Amino acid sequence: MPFINPEDGHLTVLNLFKTDTRARVDTLVKEMKAIVDTAAFPGWISSTVHRGEQNPGTANFIQWRGMQDLETRYNDSEFKHHTVPVFREITTFVRLMQTEVDSSRRHPALGGVTEVSPGRDDYTVIEILGVDPAEQGALTATLAGAHSWLVDVPGYRSQSVLRGIRSRNLEGGEGTLATVGADNDFVVVYSQWDGKDSYDAFRTQADAQWSAARRGFQDRRNSLITSADWNSYRAVHTRSAEQPVTV
């Protein structure tokens, strides 16, 4: 199963898809599963499909050996003339984000490195935070420091902070990709919880054990970010390169 570990040095790509109905989410998941099950791209390591819960959409958490392998995939005829048109038809928003793992911490009671798998019951939250490129390092450090008090929050399992490298969306026809903003003007936070109730309580309550630390963190975070967007997900499908292609 895929793991989130800064020691691995993978290029981590997070592809976000939004749509307008739950039925279209079913179609998105089906199309993404088909791509994952037949993936045999040079340099591809793993893909994990996530189904949106709070809002209609999906996320694909993908690991690559490096940037050149990803660019080869994006320049492939099948990607341009089949994959892109399919997703353009059933989505209202697509963002393809290239990142590297800056930090990944699990609750001490869980041990080990963060695992991404539909075999787990994680309630996953993905946040996309905009930031001035000059402040990206400060933001990743601030976010990583939150783990010290998150461990006291009921239901918290893990938090991974991914430094944005490049973000693109689909533009025009023929599989054209357009760069969104500056190359390093965003940060991704991938967190795991034991359920929706725990995460909702975290967002709305201020427990005495960690409220002071959270207020200081929140003030610092808000002073650094330029935008924020989030959705909750369940991992529903995964496959890695060492597993056989499913026809």
mmCIF file of all heavy atoms in Angstrom, residues 27-54:
data_model
loop_
_atom_site.group_PDB
_atom_site.id
_atom_site.type_symbol
_atom_site.label_atom_id
_atom_site.label_comp_id
_atom_site.label_asym_id
_atom_site.label_seq_id
_atom_site.Cartn_x
_atom_site.Cartn_y
_atom_site.Cartn_z
ATOM 1 N N THR A 27 -19.435 8.391 -11.665
ATOM 2 C CA THR A 27 -18.780 8.280 -12.966
ATOM 3 C C THR A 27 -17.297 8.606 -12.856
ATOM 4 O O THR A 27 -16.448 7.926 -13.446
ATOM 5 C CB THR A 27 -19.452 9.201 -13.994
ATOM 6 O OG1 THR A 27 -20.844 8.898 -14.052
ATOM 7 C CG2 THR A 27 -18.844 9.022 -15.372
ATOM 8 N N LEU A 28 -16.978 9.648 -12.098
ATOM 9 C CA LEU A 28 -15.576 10.020 -11.893
ATOM 10 C C LEU A 28 -14.793 8.880 -11.261
ATOM 11 O O LEU A 28 -13.697 8.534 -11.713
ATOM 12 C CB LEU A 28 -15.496 11.253 -10.991
ATOM 13 C CG LEU A 28 -15.572 12.630 -11.638
ATOM 14 C CD1 LEU A 28 -15.710 13.709 -10.564
ATOM 15 C CD2 LEU A 28 -14.336 12.892 -12.481
ATOM 16 N N VAL A 29 -15.350 8.299 -10.214
ATOM 17 C CA VAL A 29 -14.665 7.196 -9.526
ATOM 18 C C VAL A 29 -14.464 6.022 -10.479
ATOM 19 O O VAL A 29 -13.380 5.411 -10.518
ATOM 20 C CB VAL A 29 -15.458 6.755 -8.279
ATOM 21 C CG1 VAL A 29 -14.896 5.451 -7.716
ATOM 22 C CG2 VAL A 29 -15.424 7.850 -7.220
ATOM 23 N N LYS A 30 -15.476 5.699 -11.265
ATOM 24 C CA LYS A 30 -15.368 4.599 -12.216
ATOM 25 C C LYS A 30 -14.254 4.856 -13.228
ATOM 26 O O LYS A 30 -13.437 3.959 -13.514
ATOM 27 C CB LYS A 30 -16.698 4.417 -12.941
ATOM 28 C CG LYS A 30 -16.694 3.316 -13.994
ATOM 29 C CD LYS A 30 -18.043 3.206 -14.696
ATOM 30 C CE LYS A 30 -18.020 2.140 -15.787
ATOM 31 N NZ LYS A 30 -19.327 2.059 -16.501
ATOM 32 N N GLU A 31 -14.201 6.057 -13.790
ATOM 33 C CA GLU A 31 -13.174 6.386 -14.781
ATOM 34 C C GLU A 31 -11.781 6.367 -14.149
ATOM 35 O O GLU A 31 -10.813 5.876 -14.745
ATOM 36 C CB GLU A 31 -13.453 7.759 -15.393
ATOM 37 C CG GLU A 31 -14.698 7.834 -16.256
ATOM 38 C CD GLU A 31 -14.567 7.054 -17.559
ATOM 39 O OE1 GLU A 31 -13.416 6.758 -17.963
ATOM 40 O OE2 GLU A 31 -15.606 6.753 -18.173
ATOM 41 N N MET A 32 -11.672 6.873 -12.922
ATOM 42 C CA MET A 32 -10.369 6.902 -12.263
ATOM 43 C C MET A 32 -9.895 5.502 -11.907
ATOM 44 O O MET A 32 -8.715 5.176 -12.035
ATOM 45 C CB MET A 32 -10.446 7.795 -11.028
ATOM 46 C CG MET A 32 -10.667 9.265 -11.360
ATOM 47 S SD MET A 32 -10.951 10.302 -9.918
ATOM 48 C CE MET A 32 -9.298 10.414 -9.268
ATOM 49 N N LYS A 33 -10.813 4.653 -11.463
ATOM 50 C CA LYS A 33 -10.445 3.263 -11.167
ATOM 51 C C LYS A 33 -9.915 2.558 -12.413
ATOM 52 O O LYS A 33 -8.939 1.791 -12.342
ATOM 53 C CB LYS A 33 -11.647 2.507 -10.612
ATOM 54 C CG LYS A 33 -12.000 2.811 -9.177
ATOM 55 C CD LYS A 33 -13.173 1.934 -8.735
ATOM 56 C CE LYS A 33 -13.493 2.108 -7.267
ATOM 57 N NZ LYS A 33 -14.637 1.253 -6.853
ATOM 58 N N ALA A 34 -10.562 2.805 -13.562
ATOM 59 C CA ALA A 34 -10.134 2.157 -14.803
ATOM 60 C C ALA A 34 -8.715 2.575 -15.177
ATOM 61 O O ALA A 34 -7.918 1.754 -15.637
ATOM 62 C CB ALA A 34 -11.112 2.509 -15.925
ATOM 63 N N ILE A 35 -8.395 3.840 -14.965
ATOM 64 C CA ILE A 35 -7.045 4.325 -15.270
ATOM 65 C C ILE A 35 -6.032 3.681 -14.328
ATOM 66 O O ILE A 35 -4.964 3.215 -14.747
ATOM 67 C CB ILE A 35 -6.989 5.856 -15.164
ATOM 68 C CG1 ILE A 35 -7.836 6.494 -16.282
ATOM 69 C CG2 ILE A 35 -5.546 6.356 -15.251
ATOM 70 C CD1 ILE A 35 -7.990 7.987 -16.157
ATOM 71 N N VAL A 36 -6.367 3.651 -13.042
ATOM 72 C CA VAL A 36 -5.453 3.082 -12.040
ATOM 73 C C VAL A 36 -5.206 1.596 -12.307
ATOM 74 O O VAL A 36 -4.065 1.116 -12.229
ATOM 75 C CB VAL A 36 -6.024 3.293 -10.622
ATOM 76 C CG1 VAL A 36 -5.215 2.510 -9.594
ATOM 77 C CG2 VAL A 36 -6.046 4.774 -10.273
ATOM 78 N N ASP A 37 -6.255 0.860 -12.660
ATOM 79 C CA ASP A 37 -6.129 -0.591 -12.832
ATOM 80 C C ASP A 37 -5.319 -0.978 -14.071
ATOM 81 O O ASP A 37 -4.823 -2.105 -14.150
ATOM 82 C CB ASP A 37 -7.514 -1.236 -12.911
ATOM 83 C CG ASP A 37 -8.189 -1.321 -11.561
ATOM 84 O OD1 ASP A 37 -7.484 -1.184 -10.543
ATOM 85 O OD2 ASP A 37 -9.415 -1.513 -11.509
ATOM 86 N N THR A 38 -5.192 -0.070 -15.024
ATOM 87 C CA THR A 38 -4.444 -0.371 -16.247
ATOM 88 C C THR A 38 -3.137 0.419 -16.341
ATOM 89 O O THR A 38 -2.444 0.346 -17.347
ATOM 90 C CB THR A 38 -5.306 -0.086 -17.491
ATOM 91 O OG1 THR A 38 -5.736 1.284 -17.468
ATOM 92 C CG2 THR A 38 -6.528 -0.994 -17.530
ATOM 93 N N ALA A 39 -2.809 1.157 -15.284
ATOM 94 C CA ALA A 39 -1.610 1.998 -15.311
ATOM 95 C C ALA A 39 -0.349 1.153 -15.462
ATOM 96 O O ALA A 39 -0.153 0.178 -14.745
ATOM 97 C CB ALA A 39 -1.531 2.838 -14.038
ATOM 98 N N ALA A 40 0.472 1.555 -16.411
ATOM 99 C CA ALA A 40 1.777 0.912 -16.610
ATOM 100 C C ALA A 40 2.745 1.948 -17.162
ATOM 101 O O ALA A 40 3.489 1.699 -18.101
ATOM 102 C CB ALA A 40 1.647 -0.268 -17.568
ATOM 103 N N PHE A 41 2.704 3.134 -16.566
ATOM 104 C CA PHE A 41 3.499 4.251 -17.068
ATOM 105 C C PHE A 41 4.902 4.221 -16.468
ATOM 106 O O PHE A 41 5.058 3.944 -15.271
ATOM 107 C CB PHE A 41 2.826 5.584 -16.704
ATOM 108 C CG PHE A 41 1.343 5.604 -16.937
ATOM 109 C CD1 PHE A 41 0.459 5.712 -15.878
ATOM 110 C CD2 PHE A 41 0.821 5.506 -18.225
ATOM 111 C CE1 PHE A 41 -0.910 5.732 -16.083
ATOM 112 C CE2 PHE A 41 -0.550 5.530 -18.440
ATOM 113 C CZ PHE A 41 -1.418 5.640 -17.374
ATOM 114 N N PRO A 42 5.936 4.509 -17.272
ATOM 115 C CA PRO A 42 7.293 4.552 -16.725
ATOM 116 C C PRO A 42 7.382 5.562 -15.580
ATOM 117 O O PRO A 42 6.943 6.706 -15.706
ATOM 118 C CB PRO A 42 8.131 5.009 -17.928
ATOM 119 C CG PRO A 42 7.333 4.582 -19.121
ATOM 120 C CD PRO A 42 5.905 4.754 -18.731
ATOM 121 N N GLY A 43 7.919 5.130 -14.458
ATOM 122 C CA GLY A 43 8.102 6.029 -13.324
ATOM 123 C C GLY A 43 6.903 6.162 -12.410
ATOM 124 O O GLY A 43 7.003 6.781 -11.348
ATOM 125 N N TRP A 44 5.775 5.554 -12.787
ATOM 126 C CA TRP A 44 4.586 5.612 -11.924
ATOM 127 C C TRP A 44 4.752 4.621 -10.783
ATOM 128 O O TRP A 44 5.161 3.490 -10.986
ATOM 129 C CB TRP A 44 3.341 5.284 -12.739
ATOM 130 C CG TRP A 44 2.093 5.099 -11.919
ATOM 131 C CD1 TRP A 44 1.321 6.076 -11.369
ATOM 132 C CD2 TRP A 44 1.479 3.851 -11.547
ATOM 133 N NE1 TRP A 44 0.264 5.521 -10.678
ATOM 134 C CE2 TRP A 44 0.336 4.160 -10.766
ATOM 135 C CE3 TRP A 44 1.779 2.507 -11.794
ATOM 136 C CZ2 TRP A 44 -0.503 3.171 -10.243
ATOM 137 C CZ3 TRP A 44 0.962 1.518 -11.271
ATOM 138 C CH2 TRP A 44 -0.175 1.859 -10.508
ATOM 139 N N ILE A 45 4.427 5.065 -9.556
ATOM 140 C CA ILE A 45 4.624 4.237 -8.370
ATOM 141 C C ILE A 45 3.306 3.753 -7.785
ATOM 142 O O ILE A 45 3.139 2.568 -7.516
ATOM 143 C CB ILE A 45 5.428 5.013 -7.306
ATOM 144 C CG1 ILE A 45 6.835 5.313 -7.848
ATOM 145 C CG2 ILE A 45 5.511 4.230 -5.998
ATOM 146 C CD1 ILE A 45 7.625 6.277 -6.989
ATOM 147 N N SER A 46 2.352 4.650 -7.605
ATOM 148 C CA SER A 46 1.067 4.250 -7.032
ATOM 149 C C SER A 46 0.013 5.325 -7.266
ATOM 150 O O SER A 46 0.339 6.487 -7.509
ATOM 151 C CB SER A 46 1.193 3.995 -5.525
ATOM 152 O OG SER A 46 1.307 5.227 -4.825
ATOM 153 N N SER A 47 -1.252 4.919 -7.179
ATOM 154 C CA SER A 47 -2.384 5.851 -7.233
ATOM 155 C C SER A 47 -3.444 5.383 -6.245
ATOM 156 O O SER A 47 -3.726 4.183 -6.153
ATOM 157 C CB SER A 47 -3.008 5.899 -8.633
ATOM 158 O OG SER A 47 -2.136 6.462 -9.582
ATOM 159 N N THR A 48 -4.035 6.334 -5.530
ATOM 160 C CA THR A 48 -5.133 6.023 -4.609
ATOM 161 C C THR A 48 -6.274 6.988 -4.873
ATOM 162 O O THR A 48 -6.114 8.202 -4.732
ATOM 163 C CB THR A 48 -4.689 6.122 -3.139
ATOM 164 O OG1 THR A 48 -3.555 5.273 -2.940
ATOM 165 C CG2 THR A 48 -5.815 5.693 -2.216
ATOM 166 N N VAL A 49 -7.415 6.439 -5.261
ATOM 167 C CA VAL A 49 -8.598 7.235 -5.576
ATOM 168 C C VAL A 49 -9.374 7.516 -4.288
ATOM 169 O O VAL A 49 -9.629 6.608 -3.492
ATOM 170 C CB VAL A 49 -9.505 6.493 -6.585
ATOM 171 C CG1 VAL A 49 -10.744 7.335 -6.912
ATOM 172 C CG2 VAL A 49 -8.723 6.158 -7.852
ATOM 173 N N HIS A 50 -9.760 8.776 -4.096
ATOM 174 C CA HIS A 50 -10.554 9.201 -2.945
ATOM 175 C C HIS A 50 -11.897 9.751 -3.438
ATOM 176 O O HIS A 50 -11.934 10.553 -4.375
ATOM 177 C CB HIS A 50 -9.842 10.312 -2.174
ATOM 178 C CG HIS A 50 -8.546 9.907 -1.546
ATOM 179 N ND1 HIS A 50 -7.452 9.506 -2.276
ATOM 180 C CD2 HIS A 50 -8.169 9.858 -0.235
ATOM 181 C CE1 HIS A 50 -6.456 9.233 -1.442
ATOM 182 N NE2 HIS A 50 -6.871 9.441 -0.206
ATOM 183 N N ARG A 51 -12.951 9.346 -2.779
ATOM 184 C CA ARG A 51 -14.293 9.836 -3.099
ATOM 185 C C ARG A 51 -14.672 10.979 -2.150
ATOM 186 O O ARG A 51 -14.577 10.843 -0.929
ATOM 187 C CB ARG A 51 -15.314 8.706 -2.978
ATOM 188 C CG ARG A 51 -16.737 9.115 -3.325
ATOM 189 C CD ARG A 51 -17.735 8.014 -3.015
ATOM 190 N NE ARG A 51 -19.080 8.451 -3.354
ATOM 191 C CZ ARG A 51 -19.655 8.265 -4.535
ATOM 192 N NH1 ARG A 51 -19.009 7.592 -5.471
ATOM 193 N NH2 ARG A 51 -20.870 8.725 -4.763
ATOM 194 N N GLY A 52 -15.118 12.107 -2.714
ATOM 195 C CA GLY A 52 -15.502 13.245 -1.897
ATOM 196 C C GLY A 52 -16.731 12.958 -1.055
ATOM 197 O O GLY A 52 -17.674 12.324 -1.522
ATOM 198 N N GLU A 53 -16.719 13.457 0.190
ATOM 199 C CA GLU A 53 -17.840 13.255 1.099
ATOM 200 C C GLU A 53 -18.570 14.561 1.412
ATOM 201 O O GLU A 53 -19.773 14.654 1.265
ATOM 202 C CB GLU A 53 -17.341 12.612 2.399
ATOM 203 C CG GLU A 53 -16.738 11.239 2.186
ATOM 204 C CD GLU A 53 -17.217 10.234 3.218
ATOM 205 O OE1 GLU A 53 -17.425 10.612 4.374
ATOM 206 O OE2 GLU A 53 -17.387 9.060 2.835
ATOM 207 N N GLN A 54 -17.851 15.577 1.859
ATOM 208 C CA GLN A 54 -18.483 16.842 2.204
ATOM 209 C C GLN A 54 -19.084 17.505 0.964
ATOM 210 O O GLN A 54 -20.208 18.005 1.002
ATOM 211 C CB GLN A 54 -17.457 17.780 2.854
ATOM 212 C CG GLN A 54 -18.015 19.122 3.310
ATOM 213 C CD GLN A 54 -18.840 19.007 4.570
ATOM 214 O OE1 GLN A 54 -18.786 17.997 5.259
ATOM 215 N NE2 GLN A 54 -19.617 20.039 4.873
#
